[in-house]
Amino acid sequence: MSFEFIQKLPTPEEIREEFPVPAKLVALKEERDRLISDVITGKSDKFLVVVGPCSADNADSVCDYVERLSKVNDKVKDRLVLIPRIYTNKPRTTGDGYKGIVHQPDPEKKEDFRQGLLAMREMHVRAMDVSGLTSADEMLYPENWGYVSDILSYVAIGARSVEDQQHRLTVSGFDIPAGMKNPTSGDFSVMLNSVYAAQHSHSFTYRGYEVKTSGNPLAHTILRGSVNKHGRSLPNYHYEDLTTLLELYGERDLMNPACIIDTNHNNSNKQYKEQMRITKEVIHSRRVNPDIYNLVKGVMIESYIEEGSQKIGEHVYGKSITDPCLGFADTERLLLEIADLV
């Protein structure tokens, strides 16, 4: 075998025992889960905003960011539901580059997955404690769900994972909203097939067990743009894209039709300041079409304390070491505008 077994990792139960969620935060998560789920099901007409760094690389700056976000939340909570984006796993197209805090608790040091799992959990709990907000993460590795299942209130399945059967089946066992992104090809049918699979019961093997899930009625779609055969970005947040998605939802037997618009990635061609314009266009589409209003439940925005991005080792506090992000000043202005518009 060409595998070198470095260390046996603790189970989710062992990690949760080592770093439990305080009782006051358990109650907070239950309340936040209901709040977010009610938006997906249509019981609430509030607007979701999943907002935060491209990758959560440093607990101090991430928690500082989330604490600042909580102060904005106090101003907009009557209309918006803010969900801090704390992404601890970073998918890499070629496999090269920083893969997130689970791989490297310190981006400048070697990989250490045991410490990474602890760092991931500690950061999510600390962020919850300082902000009163529960967070979103991307499920890059389905077997890691148990490490964070008592912490997260929202999960995204990325464009490179959405066609994978293990991801789809694992989501079918979640009790929180899970957004299934369109694949990088942009194929809406792949995304909707993933939602269908996640919404239904399945039996499969998971972490050494035979398991059966009940299905997740809160699984929904995320539009993040696509890449054509020439490698060029193609956005899919425009009015015509949303009406097409509406039609495709209407052709399928899916629960709780819902969509979130990812305003960065291929929708912005990673031009991070375009996220402000894109968000306003999406809100305009909702205002002119009641069906789009009911379908589009929110947006995703990549944002950090300082705008742009930096290389690992430059040590600019609160600045992304992966994709460039909106700065916090622009983010706060945008969130206040969104609250007025929706």
Side-chain angles (χ1 to χ4, degrees), residues 83-281:
I83 309 174
R85 173 191 162 105
I86 302 180
Y87 279 26
T88 55
N89 296 282
K90 177 68 179 172
R92 311 304 305 197
T93 302
T94 64
D96 292 334
Y98 177 65
K99 300 181 180 69
I101 202 168
V102 171
H103 283 251
Q104 290 173 275
D106 184 332
E108 296 183 57
K109 295 182 180 178
K110 66 178 183 179
E111 294 175 327
D112 186 332
F113 285 86
R114 186 187 190 285
Q115 290 304 313
L117 291 169
L118 285 169
M120 169 181 68
R121 193 168 168 82
E122 181 179 8
M123 179 163 55
H124 276 295
V125 173
R126 178 179 163 191
M128 199 189 316
D129 190 38
V130 300
S131 69
L133 303 173
T134 49
S135 53
D137 203 342
E138 179 173 347
M139 189 181 69
L140 188 58
Y141 306 113
E143 65 272 18
N144 283 357
W145 168 240
Y147 295 111
V148 290
S149 60
D150 59 335
I151 299 173
L152 300 180
S153 286
Y154 187 93
V155 170
I157 304 301
R160 300 165 188 80
S161 303
V162 73
E163 296 189 64
D164 176 63
Q165 179 161 296
Q166 190 74 2
H167 282 81
R168 294 176 172 189
L169 302 190
T170 303
V171 171
S172 74
F174 289 7
D175 58 357
I176 60 171
M180 319 299 276
K181 290 194 173 187
N182 63 263
T184 53
S185 68
D187 191 327
F188 281 14
S189 64
V190 168
M191 173 179 63
L192 289 162
N193 287 341
S194 188
V195 172
Y196 182 91
Q199 289 190 352
H200 289 78
S201 172
H202 299 281
S203 296
F204 56 103
T205 60
Y206 186 76
R207 294 193 65 92
Y209 287 86
E210 178 184 338
V211 300
K212 185 173 183 179
T213 60
S214 58
N216 182 358
L218 302 173
H220 58 277
T221 57
I222 300 175
L223 297 183
R224 48 87 71 200
S226 63
V227 182
N228 69 12
K229 65 181 181 180
H230 303 296
R232 299 295 180 92
S233 289
L234 296 176
N236 59 13
Y237 61 86
H238 295 305
Y239 184 91
E240 294 77 10
D241 299 299
L242 300 178
T243 55
T244 298
L245 181 58
L246 263 171
E247 292 172 7
L248 293 172
Y249 255 117
E251 295 170 3
R252 289 163 169 80
D253 183 21
L254 294 170
M255 294 172 275
N256 303 313
C259 178
I260 304 290
I261 307 301
D262 180 344
T263 64
N264 212 14
H265 297 100
N266 291 118
N267 269 333
S268 69
N269 195 26
K270 297 189 178 181
Q271 302 302 305
Y272 64 94
K273 290 216 170 189
E274 285 291 287
Q275 294 181 102
M276 296 182 283
R277 179 191 61 78
I278 292 167
T279 296
K280 292 170 189 174
E281 180 177 328

Side-chain angles (χ1 to χ4, degrees), residues 4-54:
E4 179 184 356
F5 290 83
I6 307 297
Q7 62 176 321
K8 182 171 175 56
L9 295 174
T11 65
E13 293 75 18
E14 289 167 338
I15 289 284
R16 288 162 70 154
E17 184 176 336
E18 188 168 347
F19 208 101
V21 178
K24 66 174 183 176
L25 299 184
V26 172
L28 170 67
K29 176 172 154 50
E30 291 175 357
E31 178 186 348
R32 289 270 300 171
D33 287 355
R34 283 193 298 271
L35 182 66
I36 296 166
S37 297
D38 282 351
V39 177
I40 298 296
T41 61
K43 292 179 183 177
S44 168
D45 67 352
K46 292 184 178 182
F47 193 69
L48 299 177
V49 183
V50 183
V51 57
C54 174

Side-chain angles (χ1 to χ4, degrees), residues 57-103:
D57 59 287
N58 178 284
D60 289 340
S61 56
V62 167
C63 291
D64 181 355
Y65 173 91
V66 174
E67 192 168 10
R68 298 182 194 201
L69 193 66
S70 71
K71 295 173 183 174
V72 181
N73 183 67
D74 291 338
K75 302 175 185 178
V76 301
K77 61 185 178 183
D78 288 344
R79 294 302 306 138
L80 307 182
V81 179
L82 302 187
I83 309 174
R85 173 191 162 105
I86 302 180
Y87 279 26
T88 55
N89 296 282
K90 177 68 179 172
R92 311 304 305 197
T93 302
T94 64
D96 292 334
Y98 177 65
K99 300 181 180 69
I101 202 168
V102 171
H103 283 251

